[in-house]
Amino acid sequence: RETMYNIPQEIIDEFNKKMKYISENQWRTEDAHIEMDDVMCDTLRKLGFEKGIDIFEHTEKWYS
């Protein structure tokens, strides 16, 4: 099954599983967001957004 954007269901399922795992197992909020950023970046790279992710990763970040 694919979404309206033709994203393979396997990628969606893997993303959801990883995000849920982090949400349920990372007790430090800041660390959870950093780990989730990594999952989102990896997923977007798989979908062809390498250039945008490179820009994102080289932009200074601020976490409270």
Side-chain angles (χ1 to χ4, degrees), residues 20-55:
K20 183 175 185 203
Y21 178 84
I22 294 166
S23 175
E24 293 175 348
N25 294 286
Q26 180 53 268
W27 61 273
R28 291 189 57 194
T29 303
E30 182 176 342
D31 290 341
H33 278 267
I34 292 169
E35 288 183 44
M36 287 177 165
D37 278 355
D38 290 342
V39 172
M40 288 188 280
C41 288
D42 290 344
T43 301
L44 286 169
R45 279 188 192 285
K46 288 179 186 176
L47 296 172
F49 294 92
E50 294 90 0
K51 187 174 182 176
I53 295 305
D54 287 343
I55 294 166

Side-chain angles (χ1 to χ4, degrees), residues 7-24:
I7 299 170
Q9 189 62 45
E10 300 82 40
I11 290 177
I12 295 169
D13 292 343
E14 178 183 354
F15 174 81
N16 292 337
K17 180 179 175 182
K18 288 179 179 180
M19 295 297 270
K20 183 175 185 203
Y21 178 84
I22 294 166
S23 175
E24 293 175 348

